[in-house]
Amino acid sequence: MGDLLGVAVLGAGHMGADHIRRLDRVVNGARVAAVADPDTERAKEATAGIDGVSVHAEAEAALAAPGVNAVLIASPGPAHEEALLAAFARGLPVLCEKPLVPDSAGALRVVEAEVRLGRRLTQTGFMRRYDTEYARLKSLLDGDRLGRPLMLHCTHRNVSSPPGFTSAMLINSSVSHEIDAARWLLGQELTAVTVLRPGSSAHAPAGLVDPQFVVFETSGGALVDVEVFVNCGFGYQVRCEAVCERGGARIGEEHSMVVTTAGDARSEVPQDYLVRFANAYDREVQAWVDATRRGRVTGPGAWDGYAASVVAEAGVRALESGARTSVEQAPRPELYDGAHR
Amino acid sequence: MGDLLGVAVLGAGHMGADHIRRLDRVVNGARVAAVADPDTERAKEATAGIDGVSVHAEAEAALAAPGVNAVLIASPGPAHEEALLAAFARGLPVLCEKPLVPDSAGALRVVEAEVRLGRRLTQTGFMRRYDTEYARLKSLLDGDRLGRPLMLHCTHRNVSSPPGFTSAMLINSSVSHEIDAARWLLGQELTAVTVLRPGSSAHAPAGLVDPQFVVFETSGGALVDVEVFVNCGFGYQVRCEAVCERGGARIGEEHSMVVTTAGDARSEVPQDYLVRFANAYDREVQAWVDATRRGRVTGPGAWDGYAASVVAEAGVRALESGARTSVEQAPRPELYDGAHR
Amino acid sequence: MGDLLGVAVLGAGHMGADHIRRLDRVVNGARVAAVADPDTERAKEATAGIDGVSVHAEAEAALAAPGVNAVLIASPGPAHEEALLAAFARGLPVLCEKPLVPDSAGALRVVEAEVRLGRRLTQTGFMRRYDTEYARLKSLLDGDRLGRPLMLHCTHRNVSSPPGFTSAMLINSSVSHEIDAARWLLGQELTAVTVLRPGSSAHAPAGLVDPQFVVFETSGGALVDVEVFVNCGFGYQVRCEAVCERGGARIGEEHSMVVTTAGDARSEVPQDYLVRFANAYDREVQAWVDATRRGRVTGPGAWDGYAASVVAEAGVRALESGARTSVEQAPRPELYDGAHR
Amino acid sequence: MGDLLGVAVLGAGHMGADHIRRLDRVVNGARVAAVADPDTERAKEATAGIDGVSVHAEAEAALAAPGVNAVLIASPGPAHEEALLAAFARGLPVLCEKPLVPDSAGALRVVEAEVRLGRRLTQTGFMRRYDTEYARLKSLLDGDRLGRPLMLHCTHRNVSSPPGFTSAMLINSSVSHEIDAARWLLGQELTAVTVLRPGSSAHAPAGLVDPQFVVFETSGGALVDVEVFVNCGFGYQVRCEAVCERGGARIGEEHSMVVTTAGDARSEVPQDYLVRFANAYDREVQAWVDATRRGRVTGPGAWDGYAASVVAEAGVRALESGARTSVEQAPRPELYDGAHR
């Protein structure tokens, strides 16, 4: 497929460094051409041993570096909008980690800029679409076997939340994955949201509303409920059960090595999303590299990033008000018609 | 344990006939002494081959028949209140199939009559408390291992609904089992209810709101959500997952014979509650017979029947209004303090 | 079905006391009429609170006691032959705990005595035939769905072996259950046996060959392999997988409450056969009582007890020799044609 | 890590073409530099769209092509020995699909040639060592949690066998995977083998002994039993259960999307090894490329290929004779001490 794709990676923190490693050692057809991070020492560490990579303090400088054909944005969310617009200005395809932009107004500006450009450049980093089990469930729902989906029951559990994690972040950081997954699996928009509060766990930090039980209504009349529990203590567990008119399907049960000792048969529950979704990240970036080298954009786009933001914002309002809250979404530009679902 | 318990069975329909068979052939320590059914032919059929049983058109006559020490009420719900009061008048212990009385006002009158009597005579037929898996979950939740319960996720699915089944019956007939199970498992009252409507299945009869998604709040700050879907098409499936501060537990997955043919590994899903809960019915009636012969009442009582009615009525109002609906329960009489939970 | 069956129970040890409790409190249609145990104190304890039961030191006295219509033999194996012959002399139906008689020569004498009698009186206590899962597997294999059985893979594990358990007892006590189950499931005789010795576990008592891997050949050309491991440490686990021409089926996986804590999803493994097969024992004795009251014998008979003895003896020889060992079985008397399979 | 590894792929058939695709599009750090196949048209098709690749009829010519740093042998087994020796002559690292060489005498000549060379160049294509579940089981067995392994119960089932598949090939082609997996998981050699024959399935081609039940003894006193059934009809199923002194573990149950329709809960069973082990192949080749670029050999080596051949040959003799057959292995050269286990 010709030359390697030269990627500028913006951000060399936890996620950025992981993507640098992935582009360098796992993914086929790309190379890390430039890295930008205000902490250039961190950027140098993350690129140690990689040939032909330049390190920059400024995103703009990395985009302008020689050999750069595409951009992977892994900087903090607030920096995304400027970076996306800069990439658009240079006509560079982008893989942007979620959130596209933390607030929906900013996300909408990105959508509008892409629409003015007249062509899609952005893939948003919703990696669950690349997970084998989710893909299998999507394929099943797209087929005729189970009939119309009526409900999705989702579970999203983490062992514990990082410092500074707020009640709103359970929705706009954690549940945003379910928001995208539900839109994609169902091919429907989420139109309203209610957030219920079971009593918070004694193991959650003081003041954190955890767990939450979030119920979405969809444009096709389905319900999507999500238990989000980020201090569940026992593991990272992401499950999804679709209930349809002629049957159901569920994914995300424990993995299949069963260990039997001392009166129990145990299946290990992964402790971390990097374990659970390791393959999904690899497949996501490989798919982006492959499509980009062919001049295509195939994954979830800027519109999907915007939609997730709008729904999450309604969710946060619903958490605060305790009331059912409508989702008001801007009209979808034609550019996104027929986009990859 | 001395003489056999002579039981008058009221009602010889589907459920009544099954209890007659159970008392005659399965349960130890009891005998069918009298049966009442307006259709005395049906009652004769159901008692064919049983020695020493008298058949009556009127409940009152069966209660008065020689050898009767206890009553099992399996007549239609509207006949329950009168039968219960008649049994109380004779001081006869009762096992009353659910619902105790179809409306909460009637159920409360039964409670008040029992309170006036000054002693408990009634066991209400919530057989799930006698299911092995539910009992195991109860025992786990009562122990210290998992910590405080935060949520119960429940599923209640039937292959198809019988003729005449109404949208309200999804709550006051089907979900009433989850209402009792949740109260019992958590040792808490249900204080509010919201009913959400996913689009109804094309396989549900016209006009039936099916499935429904019912969310209860509890006196201890937990949430109980129930998917009830009585035309799911594929099987009778009752599941319950408890999510607690230190872990979780789930029951009701498919049973354990796995058959592998033609590309699939299959576990059979039972088609019917009489299959899924066959043992629970046997154990319920045996427990009632054993306790009654010892002069005790141990199972769910009249108060539990009343509480289920009140919550179900609030649920039906919530279904109609679409709004969160509080449950207003009468104060619990002292007679029911320390009753079997 | 008329009067209660008056049962004489021979033996009031662990198993006998459990059967006395079962006949008194669980099983319908029978009563304990007499109990014999050389330790009459033990017999009195086991019958405390039961009306109308007589206690005897001698089996013969119990058989002759008033009200005795049938016999349940739960005395030590060496006492079985004499007890069976005494029951035959009185024409009493018998449920005899396994082994029918410890040695095949004695078992054959019992068979011959029953043949001389000209009618079947004996049910042998192979309770797995009454286990729900085994029954389901049997029904599946008897149907047309999976085709001809080619292999059974069996597992039989105990937490630890009782004092005095010998290497031969892994076969003639533990594997004897698989011997009967395989004969019954396949409707075939076992014709040869090889016993392989993995290195013994450090947790087995010194000198005990544990685990063993036993491979049977059958009259229909199938193989039956059994891992027997009586000091496995973690639980009581009985599994059976049938491999057939058109598919397979397996039973005996862990039960279905899954508990999630601290990084694992756990299913409890029962620690004891009385837990795993509690229902099977209840159903076995109920089936025997019901059939006996109707004057019938329906379960595994004396011939099945004999066959299990012959195969187990060949197995013990195979364990000692390390060689494939043929099973030499006496010709089956016509009395056992068409017996319950 | 510097320049891309230029790989000569020998063989452009089913497996070769798949490896060409993998090196070109999936694996990072390598490129297809040359391909050899007697059918050069097939080789051209398999390399369509790949830049800088030369196509050859002769293996030798491909090895000599410019830019070739390493060799992947995917030609038919009989061609392996010559190709390996040619690669050794040029000092090229090799990834050789199994079997290393079809007969153990040839495999031993390869071992001896590598020993003369004084350094390891060969990785043998036992891809199961790269499967996530096998790796997890290996890691568990290497740790202290379960204690000494006593038995491995293995299952290896295919939907149907390809034309020309012989009874010996069930062992030397199918079971050879279990032979390597058992040696690797246990860190022990297989010392004897017995092959039992259940009656062959009516769905197996006439004359094919299928299924077979193969029992290996190991140098550490463990047993390894393998059900191999290549016309099982329902799926590709590879399972392994380790039984140890303090517990057990099993892998290879059905995957985790459960679909519920029409009375069953179904898990899909993969139909093909390319589906089941897709990731393992990717990881195997990536690991080989990574190690080779670092000048190392890390996977299963020539000695493992030889060992598998010797054991498989004993297995085929055991199949023919029906008797327990010892495995006579040449002494292991020091070169293979401390090799990757």
Side-chain angles (χ1 to χ4, degrees), chain B residues 46-62:
Chain B
T47 55
I50 303 181
D51 288 341
V53 61
S54 58
V55 165
H56 312 267
E58 302 292 333
E60 187 60 37

PDB file of all heavy atoms in Angstrom, chain B residues 46-62:
ATOM      1  N   ALA B  46     -60.061 -33.872  39.892  1.00  0.00           N
ATOM      2  CA  ALA B  46     -58.766 -33.559  40.502  1.00  0.00           C
ATOM      3  C   ALA B  46     -58.485 -34.430  41.714  1.00  0.00           C
ATOM      4  O   ALA B  46     -57.341 -34.572  42.146  1.00  0.00           O
ATOM      5  CB  ALA B  46     -58.716 -32.081  40.898  1.00  0.00           C
ATOM      6  N   THR B  47     -59.532 -35.027  42.293  1.00  0.00           N
ATOM      7  CA  THR B  47     -59.353 -35.835  43.500  1.00  0.00           C
ATOM      8  C   THR B  47     -59.536 -37.326  43.244  1.00  0.00           C
ATOM      9  O   THR B  47     -59.552 -38.113  44.194  1.00  0.00           O
ATOM     10  CB  THR B  47     -60.352 -35.395  44.592  1.00  0.00           C
ATOM     11  OG1 THR B  47     -61.673 -35.476  44.039  1.00  0.00           O
ATOM     12  CG2 THR B  47     -60.089 -33.980  45.054  1.00  0.00           C
ATOM     13  N   ALA B  48     -59.662 -37.696  41.983  1.00  0.00           N
ATOM     14  CA  ALA B  48     -59.876 -39.115  41.647  1.00  0.00           C
ATOM     15  C   ALA B  48     -58.768 -39.965  42.262  1.00  0.00           C
ATOM     16  O   ALA B  48     -57.585 -39.650  42.137  1.00  0.00           O
ATOM     17  CB  ALA B  48     -59.909 -39.289  40.124  1.00  0.00           C
ATOM     18  N   GLY B  49     -59.183 -41.034  42.923  1.00  0.00           N
ATOM     19  CA  GLY B  49     -58.189 -41.953  43.484  1.00  0.00           C
ATOM     20  C   GLY B  49     -57.673 -41.552  44.858  1.00  0.00           C
ATOM     21  O   GLY B  49     -56.851 -42.254  45.442  1.00  0.00           O
ATOM     22  N   ILE B  50     -58.105 -40.443  45.372  1.00  0.00           N
ATOM     23  CA  ILE B  50     -57.657 -40.024  46.706  1.00  0.00           C
ATOM     24  C   ILE B  50     -58.698 -40.476  47.729  1.00  0.00           C
ATOM     25  O   ILE B  50     -59.891 -40.191  47.583  1.00  0.00           O
ATOM     26  CB  ILE B  50     -57.472 -38.493  46.771  1.00  0.00           C
ATOM     27  CG1 ILE B  50     -56.478 -38.034  45.699  1.00  0.00           C
ATOM     28  CG2 ILE B  50     -57.043 -38.058  48.168  1.00  0.00           C
ATOM     29  CD1 ILE B  50     -56.197 -36.546  45.689  1.00  0.00           C
ATOM     30  N   ASP B  51     -58.264 -41.175  48.733  1.00  0.00           N
ATOM     31  CA  ASP B  51     -59.184 -41.675  49.751  1.00  0.00           C
ATOM     32  C   ASP B  51     -59.574 -40.590  50.744  1.00  0.00           C
ATOM     33  O   ASP B  51     -58.752 -39.733  51.100  1.00  0.00           O
ATOM     34  CB  ASP B  51     -58.521 -42.806  50.553  1.00  0.00           C
ATOM     35  CG  ASP B  51     -58.399 -44.070  49.726  1.00  0.00           C
ATOM     36  OD1 ASP B  51     -59.131 -44.187  48.722  1.00  0.00           O
ATOM     37  OD2 ASP B  51     -57.536 -44.907  50.076  1.00  0.00           O
ATOM     38  N   GLY B  52     -60.792 -40.653  51.173  1.00  0.00           N
ATOM     39  CA  GLY B  52     -61.203 -39.833  52.321  1.00  0.00           C
ATOM     40  C   GLY B  52     -61.324 -38.363  52.043  1.00  0.00           C
ATOM     41  O   GLY B  52     -61.203 -37.542  52.957  1.00  0.00           O
ATOM     42  N   VAL B  53     -61.535 -37.994  50.780  1.00  0.00           N
ATOM     43  CA  VAL B  53     -61.666 -36.577  50.465  1.00  0.00           C
ATOM     44  C   VAL B  53     -63.126 -36.270  50.140  1.00  0.00           C
ATOM     45  O   VAL B  53     -63.802 -37.057  49.480  1.00  0.00           O
ATOM     46  CB  VAL B  53     -60.742 -36.197  49.290  1.00  0.00           C
ATOM     47  CG1 VAL B  53     -61.095 -36.963  48.024  1.00  0.00           C
ATOM     48  CG2 VAL B  53     -60.801 -34.693  49.011  1.00  0.00           C
ATOM     49  N   SER B  54     -63.618 -35.144  50.640  1.00  0.00           N
ATOM     50  CA  SER B  54     -64.985 -34.750  50.293  1.00  0.00           C
ATOM     51  C   SER B  54     -64.922 -33.573  49.319  1.00  0.00           C
ATOM     52  O   SER B  54     -64.011 -32.755  49.367  1.00  0.00           O
ATOM     53  CB  SER B  54     -65.760 -34.351  51.553  1.00  0.00           C
ATOM     54  OG  SER B  54     -65.095 -33.279  52.214  1.00  0.00           O
ATOM     55  N   VAL B  55     -65.902 -33.531  48.424  1.00  0.00           N
ATOM     56  CA  VAL B  55     -65.940 -32.499  47.388  1.00  0.00           C
ATOM     57  C   VAL B  55     -67.151 -31.600  47.624  1.00  0.00           C
ATOM     58  O   VAL B  55     -68.230 -32.081  47.935  1.00  0.00           O
ATOM     59  CB  VAL B  55     -65.999 -33.153  46.004  1.00  0.00           C
ATOM     60  CG1 VAL B  55     -66.403 -32.154  44.932  1.00  0.00           C
ATOM     61  CG2 VAL B  55     -64.656 -33.797  45.666  1.00  0.00           C
ATOM     62  N   HIS B  56     -66.931 -30.297  47.480  1.00  0.00           N
ATOM     63  CA  HIS B  56     -67.976 -29.315  47.792  1.00  0.00           C
ATOM     64  C   HIS B  56     -68.033 -28.239  46.731  1.00  0.00           C
ATOM     65  O   HIS B  56     -67.025 -27.933  46.102  1.00  0.00           O
ATOM     66  CB  HIS B  56     -67.690 -28.657  49.141  1.00  0.00           C
ATOM     67  CG  HIS B  56     -67.356 -29.641  50.225  1.00  0.00           C
ATOM     68  ND1 HIS B  56     -68.298 -30.152  51.079  1.00  0.00           N
ATOM     69  CD2 HIS B  56     -66.185 -30.252  50.553  1.00  0.00           C
ATOM     70  CE1 HIS B  56     -67.717 -31.028  51.906  1.00  0.00           C
ATOM     71  NE2 HIS B  56     -66.433 -31.108  51.607  1.00  0.00           N
ATOM     72  N   ALA B  57     -69.216 -27.635  46.583  1.00  0.00           N
ATOM     73  CA  ALA B  57     -69.330 -26.490  45.682  1.00  0.00           C
ATOM     74  C   ALA B  57     -68.918 -25.205  46.398  1.00  0.00           C
ATOM     75  O   ALA B  57     -68.416 -24.264  45.776  1.00  0.00           O
ATOM     76  CB  ALA B  57     -70.759 -26.363  45.156  1.00  0.00           C
ATOM     77  N   GLU B  58     -69.116 -25.177  47.711  1.00  0.00           N
ATOM     78  CA  GLU B  58     -68.868 -23.956  48.474  1.00  0.00           C
ATOM     79  C   GLU B  58     -67.606 -24.085  49.329  1.00  0.00           C
ATOM     80  O   GLU B  58     -67.393 -25.110  49.978  1.00  0.00           O
ATOM     81  CB  GLU B  58     -70.053 -23.694  49.426  1.00  0.00           C
ATOM     82  CG  GLU B  58     -71.396 -23.561  48.743  1.00  0.00           C
ATOM     83  CD  GLU B  58     -71.482 -22.291  47.899  1.00  0.00           C
ATOM     84  OE1 GLU B  58     -70.765 -21.301  48.225  1.00  0.00           O
ATOM     85  OE2 GLU B  58     -72.239 -22.285  46.897  1.00  0.00           O
ATOM     86  N   ALA B  59     -66.837 -23.021  49.361  1.00  0.00           N
ATOM     87  CA  ALA B  59     -65.633 -22.994  50.195  1.00  0.00           C
ATOM     88  C   ALA B  59     -65.981 -23.266  51.657  1.00  0.00           C
ATOM     89  O   ALA B  59     -65.337 -24.073  52.346  1.00  0.00           O
ATOM     90  CB  ALA B  59     -64.932 -21.646  50.069  1.00  0.00           C
ATOM     91  N   GLU B  60     -67.017 -22.579  52.125  1.00  0.00           N
ATOM     92  CA  GLU B  60     -67.421 -22.705  53.520  1.00  0.00           C
ATOM     93  C   GLU B  60     -67.658 -24.158  53.914  1.00  0.00           C
ATOM     94  O   GLU B  60     -67.235 -24.611  54.988  1.00  0.00           O
ATOM     95  CB  GLU B  60     -68.707 -21.874  53.735  1.00  0.00           C
ATOM     96  CG  GLU B  60     -69.157 -21.757  55.166  1.00  0.00           C
ATOM     97  CD  GLU B  60     -68.144 -21.100  56.093  1.00  0.00           C
ATOM     98  OE1 GLU B  60     -67.442 -20.152  55.653  1.00  0.00           O
ATOM     99  OE2 GLU B  60     -68.021 -21.561  57.248  1.00  0.00           O
ATOM    100  N   ALA B  61     -68.294 -24.903  53.022  1.00  0.00           N
ATOM    101  CA  ALA B  61     -68.567 -26.316  53.306  1.00  0.00           C
ATOM    102  C   ALA B  61     -67.279 -27.117  53.421  1.00  0.00           C
ATOM    103  O   ALA B  61     -67.148 -28.015  54.265  1.00  0.00           O
ATOM    104  CB  ALA B  61     -69.464 -26.904  52.206  1.00  0.00           C
ATOM    105  N   ALA B  62     -66.315 -26.806  52.570  1.00  0.00           N
ATOM    106  CA  ALA B  62     -65.034 -27.524  52.647  1.00  0.00           C
ATOM    107  C   ALA B  62     -64.323 -27.227  53.963  1.00  0.00           C
ATOM    108  O   ALA B  62     -63.747 -28.120  54.589  1.00  0.00           O
ATOM    109  CB  ALA B  62     -64.143 -27.129  51.456  1.00  0.00           C
TER     110      ALA B  62
END
